[in-house]
Amino acid sequence: MTAQTQQATGMREAFVRTLADAVDRDDRVALVLAAISADRFTDQLRRHPDRVVDVGIREQAMVGVAAGLALTGHRPVVHSYAPFLVERPYEQIKLDLGHQGVGAVLVSIGASHDDPATGRTHQAPADVALLDALPGWTIHVPGHGDEVAPLLTAALATDDQVYLRLSTRQNTTSVPVAPGFTPLRHGGLGVVVAVGPVLDQVLAATEGLDVTVLYANTIRPFDRAGLRAAVESSAPAVVMVEPYLRDTSAAEVATTLRDLPHRQLGLGTRRDSELRAYGTPEQHDAVHGLDAAGIAASVRGFLGV
């Protein structure tokens, strides 16, 4: 595994530090908030009131303001909890950004079930699938705080439509940010792709199994060439482990391997029923089969080992 063990830096903290510095240094960078994390950017709100805006709890307006800033030549960053950033203002994302052909960097916190105590209102396992239904979005799912700054910095340098999905859950080590999937193990029975903060569970679940493990902190665009190469050097059996809605990338796998007889299994948050419980993130992982034991059972059953 090509990674370095580091003092863990939270993803949200890495985002705040990187963006605050970018706002202070670059007049092009703007930030639009809807109350969430406003206390983290008090200095920027005071120093740059023309580019750092808190619209209050008005998430649709937040995206609309960001689109207006983009139309005037700014590079807007829009930030909130995932359901308030993607689900609630989805029409504005589709029209104000996409239909007008302007970009922004959407940065979420909360992920699928980071904080179950806040209830279903703060959970968004379908966020990546929703944005994937719109054309042109780059989607980053970092697995460690040290992966956030390079992903965000690269996004700020473009005018693209970018989603950066942050989580309080992170792997014990970071993997250097690179284009496409990063191979961490090689094996002959099949390919397991770990997306973002599920890498630790995947490595534990596949310990001793003769499988290739790929890591992704960018899931759109999907690395079709990387997956194809891995399958051709292993076996045409693919397991996608994603920390959001199960089978979100099933169509991408099918398209990548459309001319090759293959099998695939998607692991992620369940689609068959709504989890009406609080509990802990680890308990939610177990229910969805995203803990190491659940992943191991699924992978072994799928591969017949």
Side-chain angles (χ1 to χ4, degrees):
M1 178 175 176
T2 305
Q4 298 177 348
T5 302
Q6 296 136 334
Q7 182 69 31
T9 299
M11 294 190 198
R12 190 177 187 181
E13 290 72 24
F15 157 67
V16 170
R17 183 175 62 246
T18 304
L19 185 61
D21 181 65
V23 168
D24 286 338
R25 289 187 299 100
D26 187 350
D27 290 343
R28 182 172 175 263
V29 176
L31 171 62
V32 188
L33 304 168
I36 302 299
S37 293
D39 59 331
R40 312 285 182 105
F41 293 101
T42 53
D43 290 343
Q44 286 68 36
L45 283 161
R46 175 178 52 82
R47 288 199 294 263
H48 311 289
D50 56 330
R51 292 186 289 118
V52 181
V53 182
D54 178 8
V55 301
I57 308 176
R58 300 176 180 87
E59 286 83 3
Q60 292 93 338
M62 175 177 66
V63 174
V65 169
L69 286 164
L71 286 169
T72 63
H74 288 91
R75 182 54 167 159
V77 176
V78 192
H79 170 64
S80 189
Y81 275 87
F84 311 146
L85 181 65
V86 176
E87 294 176 332
R88 187 171 293 173
Y90 187 69
E91 183 177 11
Q92 283 68 38
I93 293 171
K94 179 180 73 174
L95 298 178
D96 296 357
L97 295 176
H99 191 60
Q100 292 194 111
V102 295
V105 184
L106 308 186
V107 182
S108 72
I109 55 174
S112 295
H113 46 258
D114 275 1
D115 189 7
T118 57
R120 187 65 172 89
T121 58
H122 284 59
Q123 300 170 10
D127 56 342
V128 173
L130 283 169
L131 287 177
D132 194 34
L134 301 175
W137 280 88
T138 295
I139 301 176
H140 301 305
V141 187
H144 190 278
D146 288 351
E147 298 166 22
V148 173
L151 291 170
L152 177 59
T153 300
L156 293 175
T158 74
D159 289 310
D160 298 340
Q161 296 166 354
V162 179
Y163 181 44
L164 181 60
R165 189 185 206 256
L166 307 183
S167 177
T168 58
R169 324 288 299 285
Q170 62 178 2
N171 304 311
T172 54
T173 60
S174 67
V175 178
V177 171
F181 298 163
T182 300
L184 301 180
R185 289 178 183 165
H186 298 278
L189 294 179
V191 178
V192 182
V193 182
V195 180
V198 296
L199 178 59
D200 278 1
Q201 295 97 299
V202 168
L203 291 175
T206 58
E207 184 69 35
L209 288 181
D210 184 27
V211 295
T212 292
V213 176
L214 304 179
Y215 173 68
N217 49 34
T218 296
I219 197 60
R220 296 292 185 278
F222 190 85
D223 183 12
R224 295 179 181 177
L227 179 62
R228 181 73 183 222
V231 165
E232 289 176 346
S233 64
S234 179
V238 178
V239 181
M240 290 291 308
V241 188
E242 302 178 271
Y244 37 80
L245 201 62
R246 184 176 299 177
D247 288 321
T248 292
S249 292
E252 289 287 348
V253 175
T255 299
T256 300
L257 305 176
R258 63 176 23 151
D259 62 329
L260 180 68
H262 67 279
R263 299 185 302 128
Q264 67 165 295
L265 172 68
L267 302 179
T269 58
R270 294 167 51 175
R271 291 173 176 260
D272 57 343
S273 63
E274 175 125 344
L275 182 58
R276 295 183 174 90
Y278 290 92
T280 66
E282 292 76 19
Q283 289 172 325
H284 280 246
D285 283 349
V287 169
H288 293 293
L290 285 175
D291 59 342
I295 294 170
S298 295
V299 172
R300 287 179 177 273
F302 176 67
L303 296 177
V305 296

